[in-house]
Amino acid sequence: MSDQHDHREMAPGAGMTAARRSDRASNELVGICRGLLADGHVSQQEAEFLKDWIERNAAFVDAYPFRQIYERLDTILKDGVIDAEESADLHDTLIRFVGGEAFDETAQTASLSTSLPLDTPEPVVEHDGRIFVVTGTFSFGTRSLVTHEIEARGGLLSGAPSKKTHFLVIGSLGARDWISSNAGTKILKAMELRDSGAPIRIVSESHWASHLR
C-alpha cells in the first residue's frame, strides 16, 4: 500500500518535469528552425541535421509539433536527396511553425485557408487533359506527392496560372494572411484571370482530394 501511495505522490512532480522538458525542447526547436530559415533556403545538410535532432529527442517525437515536422522530413529525405521543390516545401512548413501558424490536421479553423476566394459552387474536378497549378502547403503530403497524383490521372502541371489553366489547387494549410504570402501571388493572378473570363477554377485541397479515384 505504501509503495502505491508513494507512486501517486510522485506522479504530479514527474509530470511537471516532463512538461518543462517538453517546453524547453519546443523552444529549442523554434530556435533551430529560425536558424535554418535565416538564409531563405533549407539545404539537405540542414534537413538531415533537423531530422537527427528530433530523433535524439525521441521522447517528444510523437507530440505536436515534433511529429508533423519529423514526418515531413522523413518523407522528403526517404530517397536520400532533397530537390529544390522539396526544399521549398520544407521551408514553407517551417515558416508556418516558427510564425505560430498551425499546420496539422487538428489545427484550429482560423489558422487554415478558409477565407480564400474559392469557386462557389464548387466545380467537378476532372484531371485528364486538364492543366493544374498548385500552391500553398498541403496536408495531403509534399507538393511532389500532390503533383504525382494529378499526373497519374492524366493531369498536366504548370508553374503559374495562365489563360490555359483549368484549376488552381490551394493547400489547406495556408496562412490567414495568404494575400501577403508566397501563395498569394498565384492566387491573385488566378482571380484576375477568372474575373476576365478565363476558365480557371480555384479550389481547395480538400475539394480536389475528394475527386481522387
Side-chain angles (χ1 to χ4, degrees), residues 83-96:
D83 60 30
E85 186 173 339
E86 289 170 335
S87 175
D89 180 75
L90 179 58
H91 184 273
D92 193 49
T93 296
L94 296 184
I95 281 179
R96 298 197 188 287

Side-chain angles (χ1 to χ4, degrees), residues 187-204:
I187 296 169
L188 290 173
K189 179 63 176 178
M191 291 170 62
E192 292 173 1
L193 289 166
R194 186 177 62 182
D195 291 345
S196 70
I200 188 169
R201 311 301 298 272
I202 304 175
V203 299
S204 67

